[in-house]
Structures are given as C-alpha cells and as structure tokens.
C-alpha cells in the first residue's frame, strides 16, 4: 500500500493487541540523516585523505600478510578463501 494511504476498512476496524488500537502507518526518511553522516565522516577525514592511496595500502598489507606461507598455511588460506571467510585474490592463491 503506498505511503500515506489509509488502511482498508476491514483492517482499520480490527483491534491490534490488548489495547485495541489499529495499526499505524509509520515511515522515516533516513536520506537527510545519511547525507549528514557522510558530511561528518568526510569532515573528520580532513582534506588530505586519499581514498585511492588507502586502498592501495590495504591491498599491500593484505599481500604482505599472506605472503611466504608454508604448505600448511597455504592450504588453510585456500580453504578459508573457498569458504568465503577471506576474500580471494587473483587465482585464489596467496602471493609468494
């Protein structure tokens, strides 16, 4: 039922729970709040924030974390990637 439309007569007459009140159409538009939240996040990051550099740094940290694994560690890594616990990279193998 579109926002703002009254309830059909059969629903508006039916009591809801022990208080006997009919249901109320209630909605909240979070769009303005989300825009304010984003503005606060960007202000907190400051003008020098470089999202592309942050992503590159994160990918480098991931590469370093999973590099030089021994055979057992590689097997566990592959198992976790297959299970969806860790994100896959390229062919699904940890970098050597």
């Amino acid at each position: 039922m579109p926002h703002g439309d009254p309830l059909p007569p059969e629903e508006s007459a039916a009591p809801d729970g022990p208080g006997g009140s009919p249901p109320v159409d209630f909605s909240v538009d979070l769009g303005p709040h989300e825009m304010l939240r984003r503005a606060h996040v960007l202000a907190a990051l400051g003008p020098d924030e470089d999202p592309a550099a942050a992503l590159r740094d994160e990918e480098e940290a991931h590469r370093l974390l999973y590099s030089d694994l021994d055979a057992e560690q590689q097997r566990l890594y592959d198992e976790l990637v297959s299970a969806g616990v860790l994100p896959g990279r390229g062919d699904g193998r940890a970098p050597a």
Side-chain angles (χ1 to χ4, degrees):
M1 182 170 300
H3 174 69
D5 287 350
L7 295 173
E10 65 275 1
E11 287 185 31
S12 62
D16 183 27
S21 301
V24 176
D25 184 22
F26 181 78
S27 65
V28 176
D29 180 9
L30 295 177
H33 175 74
E34 176 62 15
M35 295 305 294
L36 180 62
R37 185 194 69 78
R38 288 180 185 188
H40 285 294
V41 167
L42 291 175
L45 291 174
D48 298 327
E49 178 63 19
D50 183 358
L55 182 58
R56 284 190 304 271
D57 291 345
E58 184 177 326
E59 288 173 348
E60 177 64 11
H62 184 273
R63 188 189 68 72
L64 289 172
L65 181 63
Y66 296 110
S67 63
D68 298 323
L69 301 179
D70 65 28
E72 177 63 11
Q73 292 169 332
Q74 184 67 55
R75 184 191 66 75
L76 287 171
Y77 174 85
D78 293 340
E79 192 174 308
L80 291 171
V81 169
S82 295
V85 176
L86 293 175
R89 296 282 193 244
D91 66 354
R93 304 282 299 176

